[in-house]
Amino acid sequence: LNAQFNAILLAIYSAGIVLLARRRDLAAGSMIALSTLQPTLMGPLAVLQLGGLALRRRWQGMIAMFGLLLILALTTFLMIGWW
């Protein structure tokens, strides 16, 4: 089951990259942030992509990605608590 979940996350990340190539920054940032549901696997790629968005000055994608990451983190905090 874990390998299937990893394939789904990779597909979501790949969709984000395709959306970046098509200049759909808001959707791309959201997809890349969504791919970090398993942060140990996709987290480093997302951080690199966030840096790439900043270097290319694609602020909409960066804001969408950061905003969704914040929502995911707050949701996790509210559901699980702080340690």
Side-chain angles (χ1 to χ4, degrees):
L1 183 63
N2 191 27
Q4 293 170 347
F5 186 63
N6 291 345
I8 292 169
L9 292 179
L10 183 60
I12 292 171
Y13 184 80
S14 298
I17 298 300
V18 169
L19 289 168
L20 274 177
R22 293 182 181 177
R23 294 272 192 209
R24 298 194 54 201
D25 292 347
L26 287 173
S30 298
M31 293 298 274
I32 293 170
L34 190 60
S35 74
T36 63
L37 288 174
Q38 188 176 6
T40 56
L41 177 68
M42 301 302 284
L45 287 175
V47 169
L48 290 173
Q49 195 64 47
L50 189 62
L53 288 171
L55 288 175
R56 291 185 194 102
R57 297 175 192 248
R58 293 174 78 171
W59 305 119
Q60 287 183 344
M62 195 172 110
I63 290 169
M65 186 176 170
F66 188 71
L68 188 55
L69 284 173
L70 184 63
I71 290 169
L72 290 172
L74 287 175
T75 302
T76 302
F77 174 72
L78 290 174
M79 291 180 72
I80 297 173
W82 186 257
W83 296 358

